[in-house]
Structure formats: structure tokens, C-alpha cells
Amino acid sequence: RKPMAPPPPPPDPAELVPKTAHSARIGLRALADTLDEIKKAKARQALLVDLSSNAQTFLRYRDNNMLFTYKPGDLEPSKVRLALLGALRFGKPLVLDNGDLDLNWQQLAGAFDAVLPGLWDMVWGCSINEEDNWLKIVQPSDGENFKEQAFSRHCLDAFQFILVTKHPQVPPDFADHFFLITTA
């Protein structure tokens, strides 16, 4: 009787992340520099595939505005609008943590477009901080800190959108539009 071969090892989750011309697999130490390079290129926003949860912890303690798709209320239009507006006004990243949920383009588009039709396209397409696109989400009730003259070009240029997921299987619509960063 022939002994059974051991089962093959499970695939490395990092190998499930799509490899594209705009992707990188990095260690946690390189995360800040990689995010800066992506921001300076102004071509794509970052989608961070965080297989260890260490990058999410790292981002949580940085100066940014953070929303969680899995927290009740975080995708409400007023919360999305204020988080985005604050990130633009003060030159911070807006981090949207999707946890281990499947990435859903329609869900995210719906959350942002409920604030302003076309807002999702402006955010992932890197045009929210161009021209007067950002002014379209300012409301009179936002107060003096959010009047047009309170925004500086320096802070608008420092804005970055970072989408975080623990799920290694990134749908094609995200892989085609974001710069994929995998940390393990």
C-alpha cells in the first residue's frame, strides 16, 4: 500500500493579490515612503492589501481621517463628506478601511456619490483636489474654517485617499484603478 502524499500547502495569500504594472509588495517599513511616492505621482490612489493588520494599525496612529466600511454610520453621507472635507482642508490622507469584507465598487461609489454625484470618480481619479472640485462639497454650515480662502494649495496637494483591505482577492475594477500595495 502506497502512503498518501501530504496535502499541498495552502497558497500564500499575497500570491492571490493581482500583479499589475501599478502594484508593489513591500514590508511595513517601506509603507510611508511608498504612499508618499504614490501621492507625488498624482496618477492613482492607493489600495493597501494589509494581510497582517499591521499596516492598518500603523495608519490608525498617523495623522489622517479614517472611516471604516464595516462600522455603522461611517458611510453616511454627512460623515463621508466631513471626513473628506477635513482631509482636503488640512492636507491629510483619508483612509477608508474595508476590513476583511469583499471590496464592492458599487457600495463605495454609492456612499461617495450620495454626498455629490460623481464624487467617487473624483476621489479615486485624483481630481477631487483639482480646480474647484473640492468646493462642491463645502456647505455654508461648515463655518469659517471651511470657507474657500481657508483652503491652501499646499494642503490640497497633500491630500491622499487610501483604501485598506485584508482581502487578498482584489476585484478587477479596483486593480485597474488603484495602485495596489501588498504588505504581509
Side-chain angles (χ1 to χ4, degrees):
R1 186 169 176 190
K2 190 175 179 183
M4 291 191 67
D12 177 2
E15 296 302 320
L16 300 174
V17 178
K19 310 254 183 319
T20 68
H22 42 271
S23 63
R25 187 173 177 182
I26 62 169
L28 188 60
R29 290 179 187 239
L31 182 58
D33 289 340
T34 302
L35 289 171
D36 283 345
E37 289 171 22
I38 293 168
K39 178 176 53 179
K40 288 175 188 169
K42 296 184 182 187
R44 294 176 181 269
Q45 300 290 9
L47 193 163
L48 177 57
V49 181
D50 183 19
L51 301 174
S52 67
S53 298
N54 291 334
Q56 191 263 11
T57 302
F58 171 80
L59 290 170
R60 183 177 285 187
Y61 293 101
R62 303 231 346 162
D63 187 21
N64 61 52
N65 288 358
M66 196 164 204
L67 296 173
F68 301 87
T69 61
Y70 49 88
K71 272 191 168 176
D74 266 18
L75 291 183
E76 291 294 319
S78 62
K79 187 118 182 198
V80 170
R81 186 184 75 80
L82 289 173
L84 177 58
L85 192 61
L88 288 161
R89 165 66 176 86
F90 297 105
K92 303 177 178 187
L94 172 59
V95 178
L96 183 59
D97 187 348
N98 200 59
D100 56 6
L101 301 175
D102 289 339
L103 288 167
N104 182 320
W105 190 271
Q106 295 307 323
Q107 176 197 24
L108 297 181
F112 281 80
D113 290 352
V115 174
L116 175 74
L119 183 59
W120 175 242
D121 289 344
M122 286 188 268
V123 170
W124 70 256
C126 302
S127 66
I128 185 63
N129 58 351
E130 293 175 1
E131 300 163 11
D132 290 337
N133 287 338
W134 52 273
L135 265 178
K136 296 173 184 172
I137 63 170
V138 175
Q139 296 179 354
S141 61
D142 292 332
E144 291 297 316
N145 279 337
F146 294 96
K147 298 251 187 254
E148 181 177 359
Q149 58 273 21
F151 288 78
S152 73
R153 176 48 48 198
H154 173 75
C155 286
L156 289 166
D157 287 343
F159 169 77
Q160 183 175 29
F161 179 69
I162 304 167
L163 180 57
V164 181
T165 183
K166 293 180 185 176
H167 204 293
Q169 294 176 316
V170 176
D173 41 6
F174 289 93
D176 291 344
H177 294 99
F178 284 82
F179 191 103
L180 305 180
I181 306 168
T182 306
T183 62

